[in-house]
Amino acid sequence: MSIAARRSATLPNLVVLGTGWGSFSFLKNIDASKFNVSVVSPRDHMLFTPLLASTTVGTLEHRSVIESLRPMAAAKGVKFYQGEALTVNPEKRTVTVGKAVLDRFKREHRKLDLSVLGEKFTLPYDALVVGVGAVPNTFGIPGVEDNTFFLKEARDGKLIRGRIHDCFEAASYPMEDEDRASVEARKALLTFCVVGGGPTGCEFAAELTDYINQDVGRAYPNAFSGSTNLWPRVVLLEASGELLGAFDTSLRSYALKKLHKSGNCEVRLGAAVERVEPGVVVLKGGEKIRCGLVVWSTGIGPRKFVTEGMKWAKRTNGRIEVDDRLQLVDPKGKGRIFALGDCAHVSGSIYPAIAQVRGYLGTSHLSLLHKGSRRHLVVSWSETLSCSQFV
């Protein structure tokens, strides 16, 4: 065994789940020489989510809003596994990880048999940082999973951009007969529904409206030729009585005013969706909106890993409950398991669930220190307040 290998064997194992704002900030500031650091995430990059909506219409390219984890991992000597955490065993201190890339091989390269590699593996930990984020919340509404687009990951932006392009291209084909059915079909292609009046829904609706006002007429002139005189429209549906419900009243009024002023965005408050069919959004009350694209952005919910893989942990509103030092409140994980970001609920926290807070938590509240011959993981509101000792 080499000197480096012997030294590595004496260091505590630190496993980080996720590459979101909190986890990525934590990894950028970690002193990896004091731990055997392993990172597990289905994606190999950090996504700058505030700019994701801009990629759907080409204002920004997708590669401009992501930062790859691989270069940083190589520079710090951190091990990265592109996989999905399945379960945590707090007694054995292990994390079971599914091999996400092999799942893709099964779907996309069916003739290639990689079953000999196995479907999962186990990582031991002395300390575990859980930052797996959340998933879009469908509220169990029929048809959402199959007939809408989410806007949560970089690939979502690519898919939405492709669908917008296809809608305008399809509407550009000449109509042999401008009968009612043909006109209605083209009208549907040029109608874009956004469900959810939160930050993501409003940002996307604004980006798409600007794109329609500034670029579409020049880029797709054939889509608006003929006697029908159709023009694209964005329909923003919000079940409550106001947009941006978690924000200050002045910001809500400003957002509504700006969207109305754009001219091509119809904001409908108090419009609850009953179900989503292929190309149709059905509202409660029976009204149907035919459209070429439905983007679903109605908030977030817990991942399966949180609800099932860590079902032993105490949760609040589906999120892992942690104290003000980000340690699990549940005694099974206290002192060794930490959680941050959208998957965690900080008891008594007054901070909003936004990216800036996640990044700050990752940078300032999870600082790794080494003091003398004893190794500590510091987790506190300040960088050096207190330590949880590995034993």
Side-chain angles (χ1 to χ4, degrees):
M1 181 182 292
S2 67
I3 295 176
R6 286 198 299 272
R7 178 179 176 278
S8 178
T10 65
L11 296 177
N13 296 311
L14 172 64
V15 177
V16 181
L17 306 181
T19 53
W21 285 85
S23 298
F24 201 81
S25 298
F26 169 69
L27 290 167
K28 289 185 76 170
N29 290 275
I30 192 175
D31 184 353
S33 66
K34 298 173 182 176
F35 294 87
N36 290 320
V37 184
S38 298
V39 182
V40 176
S41 177
R43 68 185 192 193
D44 61 354
H45 59 270
M46 195 278 282
L47 172 65
F48 193 80
T49 45
L51 295 179
L52 180 58
S54 298
T55 68
T56 62
V57 294
T59 304
L60 293 174
E61 289 298 323
H62 301 90
R63 61 181 177 272
S64 301
V65 299
I66 64 174
E67 183 176 349
S68 175
L69 178 73
R70 286 288 182 183
M72 182 178 68
K76 287 178 169 283
V78 170
K79 297 177 183 177
F80 173 72
Y81 302 100
Q82 190 165 359
E84 186 167 0
L86 301 176
T87 60
V88 174
N89 188 323
E91 285 80 20
K92 294 182 179 179
R93 290 189 230 155
T94 58
V95 180
T96 302
V97 180
K99 300 177 179 179
V101 175
L102 296 191
D103 291 339
R104 268 205 305 277
F105 269 101
K106 289 181 183 178
R107 295 193 304 270
E108 301 171 8
H109 309 282
R110 297 176 184 176
K111 294 182 179 180
L112 186 59
D113 184 11
L114 295 176
S115 58
V116 67
L117 296 177
E119 295 183 351
K120 55 188 177 182
F121 61 95
T122 301
L123 289 176
Y125 69 82
D126 293 298
L128 175 65
V129 177
V130 181
V132 296
V135 294
N137 196 345
T138 66
F139 297 97
I141 295 176
V144 173
E145 291 280 358
D146 298 327
N147 302 312
T148 72
F149 291 81
F150 300 124
L151 189 51
K152 193 79 169 60
E153 303 288 345
R155 63 177 176 271
D156 296 332
K158 293 180 182 179
L159 292 172
I160 292 172
R161 185 173 177 178
R163 172 58 70 89
I164 292 171
H165 168 80
D166 289 347
C167 285
F168 285 123
E169 287 292 355
S172 297
Y173 293 135
M175 292 189 297
E176 294 184 4
D177 297 309
E178 290 190 4
D179 57 12
R180 181 177 179 82
S182 298
V183 171
E184 288 299 317
R186 180 176 280 187
K187 182 179 179 181
L189 286 170
L190 297 177
T191 300
F192 305 93
C193 266
V194 184
V195 183
T200 301
C202 288
E203 287 170 3
F204 173 68
E207 286 282 357
L208 184 53
T209 302
D210 286 346
Y211 178 61
I212 291 171
N213 289 338
Q214 299 171 15
D215 299 312
V216 165
R218 181 177 64 255
Y220 303 94
N222 293 338
F224 319 111
S225 60
S227 60
T228 57
N229 196 29
L230 295 177
W231 188 253
R233 67 178 182 135
V234 179
V235 181
L236 177 58
L237 305 174
E238 169 54 42
S240 70
E242 55 190 357
L243 300 179
L244 302 175
F247 288 75
D248 183 78
T249 304
S250 62
L251 292 176
R252 299 177 207 166
S253 301
Y254 178 79
L256 183 61
K257 180 180 177 181
K258 291 291 287 186
L259 289 172
H260 277 314
K261 190 176 179 180
S262 67
N264 293 311
C265 183
E266 177 186 349
V267 180
R268 301 184 61 175
L269 302 177
V273 175
E274 183 175 275
R275 67 183 184 276
V276 183
E277 301 172 353
V280 181
V281 176
V282 182
L283 303 181
K284 289 184 178 179
E287 181 184 352
K288 295 184 177 182
I289 303 175
R290 295 185 64 194
C291 50
L293 167 73
V294 183
V295 173
W296 190 270
S297 179
T298 58
I300 55 176
R303 289 188 180 275
K304 184 179 179 180
F305 168 71
V306 173
T307 57
E308 297 183 16
M310 293 185 68
K311 59 183 178 182
W312 49 267
K314 185 177 180 180
R315 296 189 297 277
T316 299
N317 297 326
R319 299 181 180 185
I320 303 168
E321 188 169 347
V322 296
D323 60 20
D324 61 355
R325 297 180 181 180
L326 304 185
Q327 299 179 94
L328 259 68
V329 172
D330 193 294
K332 289 183 180 179
K334 194 169 181 67
R336 292 190 180 275
I337 303 179
F338 307 84
L340 76 167
D342 288 331
C343 69
H345 171 78
V346 182
S347 300
S349 173
I350 60 172
Y351 297 102
I354 57 177
Q356 290 88 338
V357 173
R358 305 313 185 208
Y360 175 74
L361 288 173
T363 302
S364 298
H365 302 183
L366 287 170
S367 302
L368 293 173
L369 299 181
H370 178 267
K371 294 186 178 181
S373 61
R374 309 307 294 265
R375 297 174 179 87
H376 305 267
L377 178 63
V378 176
V379 183
S380 181
W381 292 117
S382 69
E383 296 186 5
T384 56
L385 276 183
S386 60
C387 302
S388 174
Q389 181 177 308
F390 295 139
V391 294

